[in-house]
């Protein structure tokens, strides 16, 4: 909220030192964006007069103001970009759209998603207008997986599990129609701290959802 209030057009923010590690420096004269950051404080009491014990019972959290900078306030090396799917989905995107419509899910294309490629809103899917054909197909598959797997908001797992499941489904379906996904799925999943254990815990759900979507595409093949 503080970032939005001070710089509503910000897309990627980091601290001064973090930008240096990424090979970029903050431009001279740029004003930092103030945010509130947690700081662990160790309590001195009768049980621990020295304050050297790291026991969590002997610590508490305070908050302080720190400053971050948006990427446009920096100069230097180009930032690494996550891999994306490539190839020609041919008529599979049209068949996928037809299945979305059959499920009663509204599909809209918009330029109002910022840096996000798509969004699932329980009965409605939003997709960015400027995606490549391969990106459009994988993004639509990803958001459809959310609709199929995560429609009951009362039973939602963590964000890590949500995104791991949806992206794994998108990767399986994309490869099934011959798209080259490269490291796009693993890059995306790692952004949400997903790992092998997260994936293993959802394999049955992922397999069933991917099989359903692939079957729907085959059914709609002329």
């Amino acid at each position: 909220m503080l970032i939005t209030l001070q710089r509503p057009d910000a897309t990627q923010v980091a601290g001064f030192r973090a930008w240096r590690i990424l090979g970029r420096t903050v431009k001279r004269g740029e004003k930092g964006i103030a945010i509130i950051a947690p700081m662990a404080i160790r309590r001195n009491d009768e049980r621990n007069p020295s304050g050297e014990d790291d026991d969590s019972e002997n610590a508490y959290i305070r908050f302080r103001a720190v400053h971050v900078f948006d990427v446009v306030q920096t100069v230097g090396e180009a930032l690494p970009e996550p891999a994306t799917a490539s190839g020609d989905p041919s008529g599979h995107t049209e068949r996928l759209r037809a299945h979305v419509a059959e499920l009663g899910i509204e599909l809209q294309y918009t330029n109002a998603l910022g840096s996000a490629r798509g969004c699932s809103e329980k009965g409605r899917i939003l997709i960015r207008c400027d995606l490549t054909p391969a990106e459009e197909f994988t993004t639509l598959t990803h958001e459809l997986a959310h609709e199929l797997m995560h429609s009951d908001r009362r039973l939602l797992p963590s964000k890590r599990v949500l995104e791991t499941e949806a992206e794994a489904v998108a990767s399986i379906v994309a490869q099934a129609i011959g798209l080259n996904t490269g490291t796009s799925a693993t890059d995306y999943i790692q952004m949400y701290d997903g790992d092998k254990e997260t994936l293993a815990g959802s394999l049955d759900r992922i397999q069933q959802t991917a099989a359903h979507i692939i079957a729907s595409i085959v059914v709609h093949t002329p």
Side-chain angles (χ1 to χ4, degrees), residues 23-219:
R24 300 182 68 86
T25 56
V26 176
K27 299 175 186 175
R28 185 182 297 276
E30 288 289 347
K31 182 180 179 181
I33 306 167
I35 63 173
I36 303 300
M39 178 174 60
I41 303 293
R42 282 180 290 189
R43 179 184 293 111
N44 291 327
D45 57 23
E46 293 180 358
R47 294 175 301 165
N48 182 29
S50 67
E52 295 178 357
D53 190 353
D54 288 332
D55 194 323
S56 60
E57 293 183 359
N58 222 28
Y60 59 99
I61 300 295
R62 287 285 181 88
F63 294 86
R64 62 191 177 96
V66 299
H67 290 83
V68 293
F69 299 86
D70 185 38
V71 62
V72 298
Q73 297 177 278
T74 68
V75 293
E77 297 179 11
L79 295 176
E81 293 288 340
T84 58
S86 60
D88 181 10
S90 187
H92 292 97
T93 302
E94 288 72 19
R95 292 189 281 275
L96 187 59
R97 289 197 202 106
H99 183 57
V100 169
E102 281 185 353
L103 293 173
I105 300 170
E106 182 183 356
L107 175 61
Q108 292 184 8
Y109 286 81
T110 177
N111 289 317
L113 290 176
S115 60
R117 294 177 184 169
C119 178
S120 164
E121 295 184 339
K122 193 178 179 182
R124 184 172 71 153
I125 292 175
L126 303 177
I127 303 291
R128 257 175 53 184
C129 297
D130 59 350
L131 301 179
T132 67
E135 289 172 343
E136 179 189 357
F137 180 86
T138 55
T139 301
L140 180 54
T141 305
H142 177 106
E143 302 306 336
L144 176 57
H146 277 312
E147 290 288 320
L148 294 172
M149 303 172 79
H150 310 135
S151 59
D152 190 342
R153 301 308 196 219
R154 298 168 300 175
L155 303 174
L156 289 184
S158 67
K159 188 72 171 177
R160 174 191 299 179
V161 174
L162 285 174
E163 297 305 328
T164 296
E165 290 181 344
E167 190 62 17
V169 169
S171 178
I172 293 170
V173 176
Q175 291 182 58
I177 68 164
L179 294 182
N180 177 19
T181 58
T183 62
S184 60
T186 54
D187 288 354
Y188 184 90
I189 290 170
Q190 286 174 3
M191 286 196 300
Y192 292 92
D193 295 326
D195 52 26
K196 291 191 230 179
E197 288 72 25
T198 310
L199 190 62
S202 298
L203 278 181
D204 287 344
R205 285 164 51 78
I206 291 169
Q207 182 181 27
Q208 291 172 12
T209 305
H212 166 86
I213 296 175
I214 292 170
S216 75
I217 294 174
V218 172
V219 167

